[in-house]
Amino acid sequence: MIGKIEFKKRRDFGQVINDTFTFMRQNFKPLLKTYFTFCGLFVLASMSSMLVYQYKMVNMINTVGSDKSSGGFSFGNIYGLEYFLSLLFSLATYASMTVAILSYIALYVQKGNQIPTMEEVWGYFKYYFFRIFGSSIVLILMVFIGFIFCLIPGFYLFPFVAMMFPIMVIENGTFGYSFSRSFTMIKDNFWVTFGTLIIVWIIVYACMSMVVLPTTLFNMIGMFTSKNPQMSLTLSMITTVLQSLCQAFTIIPIITISLSYFSLLEQKENTGLMERITNFGNTNKTIDTRPEEY
């Protein structure tokens, strides 16, 4: 039987991915409880605004060329208030999830691999939420601008941006400190960190796609096989709801970047090794005793 995951240890590419899913499996219920407790309101707000936007878009598509059409695909019709609200609440959902899961992990490590209470997570959450939310806006704009320039700068910044959030929460870092610290930690391990995150995100997107694929396919089949092609409002709404619920899958990359953070920290500073040496002989703490690779 595998013991509880010890974050403060060196890991290679495969170990980070394996331990991501091991930690998720071992903490599945408390992680979901943390997610819905602190992110549920934002998820509902995001889902509601997306449903309103989807309703508007489906009606717009289905009435194109008819007398009921009102303005067609004008900028104002496509990018209305509900569109920007859905973006805002989606960003708030991701920021709240990032803070909640990172707070859970930070407390888990501090308590010696013990599950934290919701009250303890709330103490972290209310302190870091607005810092992460504000930083997310700046970082998304930064990565977006990077992608505009032939994609390469955006992909290059991706692991550094992802690493900033664990630094902010676990080390209580400011935006500037976290930005420079992420470059310091990753610069000699860029490809390993980048590859690990890409693989995990591919897995996550594959899982999310499998959930929404049936309703999407039925909607497309119905649209292109009927004499009067129209999108199904019901199927579109169901797809939107499923997409919102599938955001829970993005807990997985947050665990991955946290494991990568502690692995890189161990390579740079050996904090976990020194802690284990200090606590040598203490049998009260159950740790993951699998050998480290140096």
Side-chain angles (χ1 to χ4, degrees):
M1 180 179 178
I2 298 177
K4 292 183 177 180
I5 293 296
E6 176 68 33
F7 276 80
K8 294 181 179 180
K9 60 177 289 186
R10 298 187 184 189
R11 289 177 169 87
D12 59 22
F13 175 87
Q15 287 176 323
V16 171
I17 294 177
N18 289 336
D19 286 350
T20 293
F21 292 99
T22 300
F23 182 78
M24 185 71 187
R25 185 172 63 253
Q26 291 178 347
N27 296 266
F28 184 75
K29 289 184 179 179
L31 281 172
L32 279 186
K33 182 180 179 180
T34 300
Y35 172 75
F36 285 110
T37 299
F38 297 101
C39 311
L41 183 62
F42 295 110
V43 172
L44 287 175
S46 175
M47 184 191 302
S48 299
S49 57
M50 289 174 67
L51 285 171
V52 173
Y53 179 71
Q54 192 70 19
Y55 176 82
K56 178 180 177 180
M57 291 303 298
V58 170
N59 285 334
M60 190 185 303
I61 292 171
N62 289 342
T63 57
V64 168
S66 67
D67 296 334
K68 297 179 180 180
S69 179
S70 57
F73 293 95
S74 64
F75 182 87
N77 283 340
I78 296 176
Y79 301 105
L81 176 62
E82 56 281 335
Y83 173 80
F84 291 103
L85 283 176
S86 66
L87 287 181
L88 177 64
F89 287 128
S90 295
L91 179 60
T93 299
Y94 184 74
S96 63
M97 176 169 52
T98 300
V99 177
I101 302 305
L102 287 176
S103 299
Y104 179 98
I105 292 173
L107 288 162
Y108 176 91
V109 173
Q110 286 182 19
K111 297 180 67 174
N113 305 334
Q114 299 299 317
I115 296 173
T117 64
M118 292 300 102
E119 290 76 14
E120 291 172 328
V121 176
W122 169 243
Y124 269 61
F125 184 87
K126 64 184 179 182
Y127 183 80
Y128 289 108
F129 174 73
F130 288 105
R131 184 186 303 185
I132 296 294
F133 182 72
S135 299
S136 298
I137 297 174
V138 176
L139 293 172
I140 287 174
L141 290 174
M142 184 187 303
V143 174
F144 177 74
I145 293 172
F147 275 116
I148 291 177
F149 292 98
C150 302
L151 297 179
I152 295 176
F155 280 114
Y156 176 76
L157 288 172
F158 170 60
F160 299 106
V161 168
M163 185 62 70
M164 287 180 63
F165 297 122
I167 296 172
M168 283 186 180
V169 174
I170 297 171
E171 298 187 22
N172 191 23
T174 61
F175 182 91
Y177 170 82
S178 301
F179 188 77
S180 60
R181 174 81 159 154
S182 66
F183 275 85
T184 301
M185 295 182 69
I186 293 178
K187 65 179 181 179
D188 296 326
N189 297 274
F190 174 81
W191 289 111
V192 173
T193 307
F194 178 80
T196 303
L197 289 174
I198 289 296
I199 292 298
V200 169
W201 271 109
I202 289 174
I203 294 172
V204 168
Y205 276 120
C207 293
M208 296 171 70
S209 299
M210 290 299 293
V211 173
V212 301
L213 185 61
T215 54
T216 304
L217 285 178
F218 282 127
N219 203 356
M220 298 301 292
I221 291 172
M223 185 175 180
F224 290 108
T225 57
S226 60
K227 293 182 179 179
N228 297 315
Q230 285 194 333
M231 291 185 68
S232 169
L233 180 60
T234 301
L235 289 175
S236 297
M237 293 297 188
I238 293 174
T239 301
T240 300
V241 171
L242 291 175
Q243 287 174 338
S244 297
L245 295 177
C246 281
Q247 292 182 71
F249 281 111
T250 53
I251 293 173
I252 297 172
I254 299 174
I255 298 172
T256 301
I257 194 61
S258 300
L259 288 167
S260 297
Y261 162 80
F262 280 105
S263 177
L264 294 174
L265 184 66
E266 194 66 17
Q267 292 181 40
K268 299 287 184 181
E269 302 174 8
N270 285 318
T271 54
L273 178 61
M274 296 305 298
E275 183 178 308
R276 286 193 289 275
I277 292 173
T278 303
N279 295 328
F280 183 75
N282 181 7
T283 58
N284 294 325
K285 180 181 176 182
T286 302
I287 62 172
D288 181 2
T289 56
R290 287 174 291 174
E292 299 183 10
E293 294 190 6
Y294 294 90

